[in-house]
Amino acid sequence: MEKNSPLFFIALGIFGIINTELGVVGILPMIMEKYNVTAALAGMLVSSFALIIALFGPWMTLLLSRLNRKTVLIGILLLFAVSNVISAFAPNFYVLMVFRMIPAFFHPVYFSIAFVLAAALSVKEEVAKASAKVFLGVSMGMVLGIPLTSYIANQFSLSTSFLFSAIVNGIACVGIGVMVPFIPVKEKISFGRQLKILYKPALWLNIAATCFILAAMFSVYSYFAEYLGQRFDMGGKLISVMLVIFGVCGVAGNWYAGKLLSYRMLRTVLLYPVALGICYLLLFYMETSLLLLCGIIIVWGAIHTSGLIVSQIWLTSEAPEAPEFANSLFVSFSNLGVTIGTAIGGWFISRLGIAAVVWSGLLFVILSFLCIAVKTIYFDLNIKSSEKAMVTEED
């Protein structure tokens, strides 16, 4: 993607926002030490951010839909930049928490507008490519944001890691201001008839599966750094390396999962929680061998990141008549899953110790598999049986 392209700066803004949301995962031990708080309380920096997105995302997007899109993007990025600067010098944990929560209200608004602008700035035949370029910001944020933030914090300081996010958001803000044209809003955003998909029981099973998949992912991953530090006595620099390995393998895993979903969607979705559960069991029973641990992290990274595309495709496949609203549901309920998973993972740690966080992940793995299986048996297979019966009767 060309650096002078408006899409580059829109995608860079998404990277900066994702980095703000999830970057703290890699620096939770440093936050715990600096502010003298528990793992469960520090984990609220992740869970509270995600909960706000889950509860307010669609409504904030609707509220700001009449404003100029370029102006809204610039304002949101400026807010994220300022919030990160204040977070870098927060005198106590609760100030840090407040200035993490405020920008969370505007996180989904940026996403919504970013994809609308990607389409508006492209010819009709290139809309899909434009959206893919913007989505690259999401992938890079998910994959590189956490290890990069962890690396910067360990090489320099905790404050520097927050300032890095502020700089990224600031550059994207200036780039959008210069490169993106003003495009007037012709009509107010409304879900309208799309709300009718909420009457579909099968959709709610897919929503539940999505929520549990994300909970399974982040109930363990949110405490990645703390787990490696306590269970395997790793230092900050080695943990950063592990996070990078995890992230790089996640890119490959996400790409391969996309190919599998194209050919065998149901089988891929059913096998996903099984594969993630196996990774957690291996992680729990792992001895102190660094080589074997690296192997597990490589596989875990590939499978973990695949959960994003698996859950998105699974949820939206049940509502092809309302793809925009279905995607907004994915954003909300995936973040709700992150909230629940991080909170329950922290509870397991506080009650049973760091090693028990793996069992919180397995709990959600089982719940997600049950939702997928029930939906498949009672809806997908029944529909196919009914169609075959109709064909037989016609013959």
Side-chain angles (χ1 to χ4, degrees):
M1 193 190 311
E2 299 85 358
K3 292 185 178 181
N4 60 347
S5 165
L7 295 181
F8 170 82
F9 292 104
I10 293 173
L12 183 63
I14 287 183
F15 171 80
I17 286 174
I18 290 287
N19 190 62
T20 298
E21 178 186 7
L22 298 178
V24 294
V25 170
I27 56 175
L28 281 183
M30 298 181 71
I31 291 174
M32 291 165 58
E33 181 180 353
K34 178 177 180 179
Y35 296 107
N36 193 28
V37 296
T38 63
L41 189 57
M44 288 183 65
L45 292 173
V46 180
S47 60
S48 62
F49 197 106
L51 181 61
I52 290 171
I53 294 172
L55 295 179
F56 296 97
W59 320 119
M60 289 298 294
T61 302
L62 187 62
L63 181 65
L64 299 176
S65 62
R66 286 193 179 277
L67 300 180
N68 183 278
R69 290 163 181 161
K70 177 177 177 177
T71 303
V72 173
L73 290 190
I74 291 173
I76 291 173
L77 288 173
L78 185 61
L79 174 64
F80 268 80
V82 171
S83 174
N84 276 300
V85 170
I86 295 175
S87 296
F89 303 104
N92 58 63
F93 179 80
Y94 297 101
V95 172
L96 176 64
M97 174 74 79
V98 168
F99 282 93
R100 286 263 313 160
M101 293 173 67
I102 291 173
F105 286 94
F106 301 91
H107 173 289
V109 180
Y110 187 97
F111 272 68
S112 175
I113 295 175
F115 287 105
V116 170
L117 276 180
L121 292 170
S122 307
V123 296
K124 187 176 182 180
E125 294 76 16
E126 298 291 326
V127 168
K129 289 184 179 180
S131 297
K133 290 178 180 179
V134 172
F135 195 80
L136 184 62
V138 179
S139 302
M140 298 303 288
M142 291 283 189
V143 170
L144 295 179
I146 295 172
L148 191 56
T149 300
S150 174
Y151 177 80
I152 292 171
N154 282 286
Q155 287 293 114
F156 302 98
S157 68
L158 182 64
S159 296
T160 306
S161 66
F162 285 112
L163 291 175
F164 167 74
S165 292
I167 291 170
V168 172
N169 287 313
I171 293 172
C173 180
V174 173
I176 289 173
V178 173
M179 298 300 301
V180 176
F182 282 99
I183 301 175
V185 179
K186 296 181 180 179
E187 57 183 359
K188 184 179 179 181
I189 298 174
S190 175
F191 292 127
R193 297 176 184 174
Q194 297 184 73
L195 289 170
K196 290 182 179 179
I197 67 174
L198 296 177
Y199 289 100
K200 300 168 69 173
L203 176 67
W204 283 103
L205 282 170
N206 284 16
I207 287 173
T210 292
C211 189
F212 289 139
I213 285 174
L214 269 293
M217 291 165 58
F218 282 89
S219 62
V220 181
Y221 185 53
S222 294
Y223 303 97
F224 184 101
E226 188 69 10
Y227 189 88
L228 294 185
Q230 289 193 31
R231 277 294 307 275
F232 302 102
D233 197 29
M234 286 190 184
K237 291 184 179 180
L238 185 55
I239 290 173
S240 297
V241 172
M242 291 297 177
L243 281 165
V244 171
I245 293 172
F246 188 98
V248 171
C249 294
V251 173
N254 202 46
W255 171 80
Y256 188 64
K259 293 188 66 176
L260 290 176
L261 286 164
S262 300
Y263 298 106
R264 297 277 192 277
M265 184 180 76
L266 180 57
R267 185 179 300 179
T268 303
V269 174
L270 276 169
L271 289 177
Y272 176 79
V274 176
L276 187 62
I278 291 172
C279 286
Y280 288 165
L281 288 172
L282 290 173
L283 192 65
F284 182 79
Y285 290 107
M286 180 67 222
E287 298 299 328
T288 55
S289 169
L290 181 61
L291 184 61
L292 289 176
L293 180 61
C294 284
I296 292 173
I297 287 177
I298 287 171
V299 177
W300 179 22
I303 293 173
H304 171 91
T305 309
S306 301
L308 298 171
I309 190 168
V310 167
S311 55
Q312 183 190 31
I313 295 298
W314 185 239
L315 192 157
T316 55
S317 67
E318 191 55 42
E321 70 274 27
E324 294 84 3
F325 187 44
N327 275 304
S328 74
L329 292 173
F330 169 74
V331 173
S332 290
F333 283 95
S334 61
N335 278 279
L336 180 61
V338 173
T339 303
I340 294 171
T342 305
I344 297 300
W347 185 87
F348 268 72
I349 292 172
S350 64
R351 297 296 190 280
L352 303 172
I354 190 66
V357 74
V358 168
W359 297 108
S360 70
L362 286 169
L363 170 65
F364 290 116
V365 160
I366 293 170
L367 291 173
S368 65
F369 181 82
L370 289 175
C371 288
I372 295 166
V374 169
K375 191 264 182 178
T376 301
I377 294 170
Y378 286 97
F379 290 95
D380 294 349
L381 295 182
N382 283 341
I383 289 173
K384 289 181 179 179
S385 298
S386 299
E387 290 175 348
K388 287 181 180 179
M390 290 176 65
V391 170
T392 302
E393 289 177 4
E394 289 176 359
D395 293 341

